[in-house]
Amino acid sequence: MAKLSVVPVPIGNLKDITLRAIETLQNANLVVCEDTRQTSKLLKLLHLSPPPMISYHKENEHRRLDHLISIIKEKEHVALVSDAGTPGISDPGYLIIKACIEEKINVEVLPGPVAFIPVLVGSGLPIQRFYFEGFLPHKKGRKQRLLFLSQLKNTTIVFYESPHRLLKLLEEIAHIFCGSTPICVGREVTKKYEEFFRGSVMDALNYFKAKQIRGEITVVLYNE
C-alpha cells in the first residue's frame, strides 16, 4: 500500500534528528526534497546510503504534483523532507500532502523540529493562545496583514523574517502595534550562534540597528 512519510529534519543542530526519522529515511524507496544536494549532505552526515531522490520546491510544485503522485503510488513508500524543519510549515509540502489524502494514499507525519517552537516557548510571553503568521508578503498586502494581526488581542503572534527585512518588520510593528509591544527575536535557533533578544519592539529595533544581522529569524510578539 502506498505511503507518504512527512519527515522533519534538523533546523541547524544535527542531534535534533529523531531515531524514527533516521529509520524512515533509511527504509524509504524515494525521498522527495527541496534540494537534492542539501538532503544528500544531511544523509551523508547521518551515515545513511542516499536512496533515489527527486526535487520538489516552490518553483516546480504545481507542475510536478501529478507526476509525484503517480511515483508515490508506484514506489509505495516515499519520504518527504524540506531543507530544514517540518515540510508544509512555510516550506513546500502542503500540496503533495493534500493530493495524497485526496488519492487515498496513507500519510504519516513524524513529529520533529519546527523553527518557531523553541522561540515561542523560550520567549517568556504568554502562549496559551498564539497565531502563526509565518512570512508576511514582501510588498502587496503586507500592511493589511499587520493591521489584521493588530486586532488579535491577548494573542502571541509568530513571524518568520529574513535578516535583511528584520528592521523593516520591527519598524512596522512599532508603528502599527506599539513601540512598547513585548517581543522576542530568535536568531540562528539550535545553531552555534543562537541568540534570543527579549524586550520591547523599540528596544529590539535599537539593538539590531547597531549590529550586522545574519541567520534565520523568528519574531514573537504579544499583542495585549
Side-chain angles (χ1 to χ4, degrees):
M1 183 180 176
K3 180 169 78 169
L4 177 73
S5 294
V6 182
V7 183
V9 296
I11 57 176
N13 191 323
L14 190 64
K15 292 178 182 177
D16 291 333
I17 192 79
T18 68
L19 295 175
R20 188 176 169 198
I22 292 172
E23 182 181 55
T24 302
L25 291 170
Q26 207 163 22
N27 295 332
N29 299 321
L30 175 74
V31 174
V32 176
C33 52
E34 279 189 86
D35 186 331
T36 55
R37 295 164 299 179
Q38 185 76 12
T39 302
S40 293
K41 220 181 294 180
L42 172 67
L43 295 174
K44 195 175 288 185
L45 289 169
L46 295 171
H47 306 292
L48 298 178
S49 301
M53 286 183 279
I54 187 168
S55 67
Y56 178 74
H57 45 77
K58 64 181 180 179
E59 279 78 26
N60 70 11
E61 59 181 338
H62 287 277
R63 68 174 183 271
R64 188 163 277 193
L65 186 59
D66 290 342
H67 177 56
L68 283 171
I69 294 300
S70 65
I71 288 176
I72 293 169
K73 288 178 177 177
E74 178 191 331
K75 293 289 185 180
E76 294 191 341
H77 187 198
V78 172
L80 173 67
V81 301
S82 63
D83 285 347
T86 300
I89 300 181
S90 290
D91 276 323
Y94 162 72
L95 288 178
I96 191 170
I97 292 165
K98 181 175 181 286
C100 283
I101 292 169
E102 290 170 351
E103 292 290 324
K104 310 298 183 190
I105 295 169
N106 182 28
V107 176
E108 168 190 59
V109 182
L110 279 61
V114 180
F116 77 86
I117 293 294
V119 184
L120 178 65
V121 175
S123 68
L125 300 173
I127 56 173
Q128 291 86 348
R129 186 172 75 170
F130 68 89
Y131 186 99
F132 176 73
E133 176 67 14
F135 287 101
L136 287 163
H138 292 175
K139 293 179 182 177
K140 188 177 179 182
R142 187 179 175 94
K143 185 177 179 181
Q144 285 72 21
R145 286 302 304 168
L146 285 166
L147 287 169
F148 163 76
L149 294 169
S150 70
Q151 302 306 307
L152 301 179
K153 301 301 181 184
N154 303 312
T155 301
T156 296
I157 302 168
V158 182
F159 300 94
Y160 284 157
E161 193 52 278
S162 62
H164 65 277
R165 271 193 293 269
L166 176 61
L167 294 179
K168 177 184 176 182
L169 176 61
L170 294 175
E171 286 168 353
E172 290 169 325
I173 292 169
H175 177 67
I176 293 174
F177 289 77
C178 176
S180 61
T181 299
I183 201 168
C184 175
V185 179
R187 190 180 66 82
E188 291 287 78
V189 175
T190 80
K191 299 177 183 176
K192 183 178 179 181
Y193 297 106
E194 176 180 282
E195 177 183 26
F196 279 59
F197 178 90
R198 303 173 182 90
S200 73
V201 65
M202 289 307 299
D203 291 337
L205 195 50
N206 292 331
Y207 176 78
F208 285 105
K209 272 182 178 176
K211 64 181 296 180
Q212 189 174 13
I213 307 167
R214 292 178 177 169
E216 294 160 347
I217 307 286
T218 302
V219 176
V220 177
L221 69 84
Y222 181 64
N223 191 31
E224 295 179 304

